[in-house]
Amino acid sequence: MKIVITKSYEEMSEEAFRLVKAVVKENPEAVLGLATGTTPLGLYARMAEDHRRGGTSYRGIRTVNLDEYVGLGPGSDQSYVYFMRKNLFSHLDILPENTHIANGLAPDLAEECARYNRLLETMQQDIQVLGIGSNGHIAFNEPGTPFGSETHVVALAESTIRDNARLFAREEDVPRKALTMGLKNIMHARRVLILANGAGKAKAVCGLVRGAVTEQLPASVLQLHPDCTLVVDEAAASLL
Ligand code: PGA
């Protein structure tokens, strides 16, 4: 694993942007695997700014997102489909039909997982952007998720519900279930870029880099990926 430690969140975002832009420039039809959460916001702001001022085009780019809450759709400002439109896609010239995210409103969730897996088989991520949960999850693959997992419905861990409650009016409003790419789908990416900032992530980052490869810390599977880059600020790197 390649590790880049930056002084600040801004520098972490800049470094992530440099890596993602290189993929887009090298292949204008690249598949970007994207993440939600607060961590990649600085990266997305830079992509938007670079498109606006620098003219980098996303017309041929395709995207797949990691996860979505069950029960939320484009009409909810807490859904991840809404988040992606608001924070990235509406600022780019990307075609909406080229952006993919599991449908949290699907009437048959098992069929939706199967559909998303079939789609991912045809869309290998040229780069997969990831954040990390304070419990070491990646996407919504909570501790204990098998490394061989594909897209599935997950019951969110109590710690994840607490972490995400800050984004909802009340903790009770945080959905208890989500659809998530599995660890196998993430490991299928040609390249992985995992970002972390802040002291709250230090323990998980330490486990990711130095810990045993164990399903108890899902991110540790990335130690087995042939092309994984971790970009962390000093606070998140403080236990390394
Ligand atoms: P965050 O979430 O970017 O909001 O910290 C990361 C995650 O839970 O994967």
Side-chain angles (χ1 to χ4, degrees), residues 35-40 66-67 80 130-135 137-140 160 163-164 166-167 195 197 201:
T36 50
T38 44
T39 308
L66 290 172
D67 44 20
Y80 288 165
L130 294 175
I132 183 169
S134 60
N135 66 356
H137 75 200
I138 47 177
F140 275 134
T160 300
D163 284 354
N164 290 3
R166 70 186 193 281
L167 307 168
L195 310 175
N197 68 285
K201 301 293 174 70

Side-chain angles (χ1 to χ4, degrees), residues 102-114:
N103 177 9
L105 296 177
D108 182 338
L109 294 175
E111 174 45 36
E112 177 59 8
C113 292

Side-chain angles (χ1 to χ4, degrees), residues 157-167 171 174 176:
E158 277 305 316
S159 62
T160 300
I161 292 168
R162 275 198 307 277
D163 284 354
N164 290 3
R166 70 186 193 281
L167 307 168
E171 189 168 315
V174 184
R176 268 39 188 178

Side-chain angles (χ1 to χ4, degrees), residues 130-133 136-141 180-181 183 186 194 218-219 221-222:
L130 294 175
I132 183 169
H137 75 200
I138 47 177
F140 275 134
N141 293 287
T180 183
M181 261 191 217
L183 295 166
I186 291 171
I194 180 160
V221 73
L222 297 173

